[in-house]
Amino acid sequence: MENTSFGAEKKLEEIFSLSSRGNEQDWAIELSDPDRTEEFLAKYEEIKENDALAYALMSLVIASFDDLVGSRYRDNEKEPYELIINANNNLNLMYNENELGIWKNISFILNSRKKLFFPLIEYWKYKEEGCEDVGFYVSLLFRKEFKF
């Protein structure tokens, strides 16, 4: 997820009053907040014309969304890929109605600017030949939506 610029990240930190140390290795993941996923997502319309801000914001949105989904499964002690296998790649078995509603909005934005968001899509899809035992809580959504 390296397409964000330091300036865009700092601007989003100001907009959302995010607390950073300034040395985050993976900014979006470290500052994600599952309770603010929809708040972050709602800001997209206001900043979408600025590519760097749009990319940084969607990085934060997706990381927060992954945390939101993961919060339901963390006590389960299963890795995301195990959950995907157990759900038999069925979105309705893996995600609840609220999560699918949020995903609808996220995927609309990602699809509207696939070229800009391609690195994010590939990162969260996390599907490599011979690496079936890896992934994120949201990987199934990305794999079903983006088959390029």
Side-chain angles (χ1 to χ4, degrees), residues 65-123:
F65 182 53
D66 188 65
D67 279 347
L68 178 69
V69 173
S71 67
R72 286 193 308 108
Y73 290 112
R74 292 231 164 72
D75 292 338
N76 188 310
E77 296 186 17
K78 289 190 177 183
E79 293 294 322
Y81 78 92
E82 293 174 291
L83 297 167
I84 292 169
I85 291 168
N86 289 347
N88 200 28
N89 291 316
N90 184 324
L91 297 179
N92 293 313
L93 295 177
M94 179 85 183
Y95 307 100
N96 66 35
E97 189 176 317
N98 180 57
E99 293 160 351
L100 291 171
I102 294 169
W103 171 248
K104 183 178 177 183
N105 294 323
I106 292 171
S107 66
F108 178 81
I109 291 168
L110 296 176
N111 275 303
S112 73
R113 303 192 64 196
K114 281 183 189 171
K115 187 174 181 179
L116 174 65
F117 297 126
F118 182 78
L120 280 177
I121 293 166
E122 287 299 300
Y123 177 86

Side-chain angles (χ1 to χ4, degrees), residues 62-63 65-67 69-70 80 84 94-95 103 124-125 135-143:
I62 296 165
F65 182 53
D66 188 65
D67 279 347
V69 173
I84 292 169
M94 179 85 183
Y95 307 100
W103 171 248
W124 289 98
K125 203 160 77 169
F136 302 101
Y137 293 105
V138 296
S139 291
L140 181 58
L141 293 163
F142 279 85
R143 292 170 189 171

Side-chain angles (χ1 to χ4, degrees), residues 19-70:
S19 298
S20 75
R21 297 179 317 278
N23 64 346
E24 286 77 14
Q25 185 172 7
D26 199 334
W27 179 84
I29 290 174
E30 292 185 48
L31 296 180
S32 69
D33 185 340
D35 296 328
R36 297 180 72 186
T37 303
E38 292 178 273
E39 174 191 352
F40 297 152
L41 187 57
K43 195 71 166 170
Y44 180 80
E45 281 302 310
E46 292 178 40
I47 59 89
K48 69 181 181 182
E49 299 305 319
N50 180 313
D51 287 353
L53 274 177
Y55 190 94
L57 178 60
M58 289 311 294
S59 297
L60 184 61
V61 165
I62 296 165
S64 296
F65 182 53
D66 188 65
D67 279 347
L68 178 69
V69 173

